[in-house]
Amino acid sequence: MVRKRSGDRELPPAEDRGAAELQSAREPGEVEHELRVLFDHVPCSLAVIDRDYNVVRSNAHFRQTFYRKGATRCFEFYKGRGRSCKSCPAREVFLDGAVHREVQNGRGSRGQTLQYLVTAAPFDYTGAQVRTVIEMAQDVTEVVELRRRLEQVEKEKLEAERLAVVGETVAGLAHGMKNILMGLEGGLFVFKDGLAKNNPEVLQRGWGMIEGNVARISSFAKEFLGFARGAKARARLVDPNAILEEVAALYRPMLDQAGIALQLEAGQVLEPMAVDPEGLHTCLTNLLSNAADACLAGERKHRRITLRCEEEDKIVRFFVKDNGVGMDAEVRRKAFTSFFSTKPVGKGTGLGLLTTRRIVAEHGGRVEVSSARGRGSTFVLVFPRARLPVPTSETTTEERKVGLHEQHDQ
């Protein structure tokens, strides 16, 4: 702001001088009256509190909302209690002279439970010491209830998504088991036919069919145990990049031996995220194993898998990209919706991607895939932070904190 000077004296701008002249033209009593009217009629509760927590002044809204016969101290008005609150914004202001704000639980003048947002700030000083504090309380009960309902709707939506994944998975498992049984029945039929005809060639073909399906049963059993393990995510705060580095270190020797280059791209330094580390590890190893198989099935001379983790708009994404054989639209469509595998008999059951999808869904996330035949595939695990589970260890601590807080404040 440019100010004009007259000699050595700095003059305020013209608009400030006009306001100052208007102010000086008004009587002090008139200004005080207007301030009192403003204080008394703002649509929120105002109270001035001294160092003994006595309410020395309050407005009409405060008296209407928190009036209690015989009450003199703020905690008597706000909560109907006989001792100071464990968490007290006014106390904090007296200690450090700063503005403090938080949502508190209280009791209204009719005995109803209220949630109110209280903002406390210094009001008057004695020297450097805060003598009185002014508190502004706004009833946010409806806002808190609306937030609770929205959180409940989000939980129900997430649960519905998880159940949908489970339903698709169970249907896929049933379809897979049916295929195995049909294969065994077919092999047994051919084998019996070879016995009846005493035909070694038919016997060998039937036995080969039985062996192949027995191998599928073995692979199926191992993967099914892995699928069934850890139905509920046991989340704790972990470094996303650390898990990616761990998976890369685990697979690098095997991939080097297979002639596949593994590139771990340097990503952002990310805040810890609440996930089940074993579950996320399983997802990444499933995708990495599939990427290796896709590279080996392709005809490229230089085979490559790239891992990356990044975050944007509070959404964490893990990328597993390969330049392998790729998938056409039909294979992509089947990859997550049925018990499906492109691997040779006995080498895969299709449970890996189903397991990955289920674990990611348990974390409130999703799996995205882009691929083209002959051009490789990119799988992305998408985790919105807002939908991640609460860390298990912190849940217990938080529940204890809430319980103590409610006992203290009621």
Side-chain angles (χ1 to χ4, degrees), residues 180-360:
I180 291 175
L181 291 174
M182 289 177 64
L184 282 172
E185 289 175 356
L188 188 59
F189 175 82
V190 174
F191 185 78
K192 287 181 177 180
D193 186 53
L195 281 176
K197 296 177 179 178
N198 196 23
N199 187 327
E201 185 179 341
V202 176
L203 273 171
Q204 187 63 34
R205 187 166 71 248
W207 183 250
M209 292 172 65
I210 293 172
E211 280 187 326
N213 280 284
V214 168
R216 290 189 69 191
I217 291 174
S218 175
S219 179
F220 174 86
K222 291 175 183 177
E223 293 198 35
F224 184 77
L225 286 173
F227 177 83
R229 193 178 297 122
K232 185 176 182 181
R234 296 185 292 273
R236 59 185 176 86
L237 291 175
V238 297
D239 180 357
N241 286 312
I243 292 184
L244 204 61
E245 291 167 4
E246 182 181 330
V247 171
L250 180 67
Y251 267 79
R252 194 180 299 279
M254 182 192 72
L255 295 175
D256 287 344
Q257 189 175 5
I260 302 172
L262 177 60
Q263 181 179 359
L264 179 59
E265 292 188 351
Q268 308 162 262
V269 177
L270 303 180
E271 292 291 324
M273 61 185 294
V275 295
D276 183 337
E278 291 184 7
L280 180 56
H281 192 281
T282 296
C283 294
L284 292 170
T285 54
N286 282 342
L287 295 182
L288 193 52
S289 176
N290 286 349
D293 289 335
C295 286
L296 293 174
E299 298 180 354
R300 292 180 183 269
K301 183 178 179 181
H302 301 290
R303 299 161 175 161
R304 183 177 64 257
I305 298 174
T306 304
L307 303 180
R308 186 173 84 255
C309 181
E310 64 182 37
E311 180 174 356
E312 184 178 1
D313 297 330
K314 296 189 180 298
I315 299 177
V316 181
R317 292 179 172 86
F318 293 88
F319 295 81
V320 180
K321 181 180 180 181
D322 67 71
N323 66 346
V325 67
M327 299 181 288
D328 58 26
E330 181 66 15
V331 174
R332 287 201 310 273
R333 185 183 65 81
K334 292 180 178 179
F336 290 103
T337 57
S338 65
F339 194 77
F340 179 77
S341 177
T342 59
K343 297 177 184 179
V345 172
K347 296 294 185 181
T349 62
L351 273 174
L353 288 179
L354 285 173
T355 301
T356 297
R357 186 170 184 242
R358 189 215 67 201
I359 292 173
V360 172

Side-chain angles (χ1 to χ4, degrees), residues 15 62 69 73 109 152 168-169 178 203 252 286 303 317 407:
E15 62 271 19
F62 178 91
K69 186 176 181 180
R73 297 185 175 185
S109 57
Q152 183 62 31
E168 291 177 2
T169 301
K178 177 184 175 183
L203 273 171
R252 194 180 299 279
N286 282 342
R303 299 161 175 161
R317 292 179 172 86
Q407 288 176 8

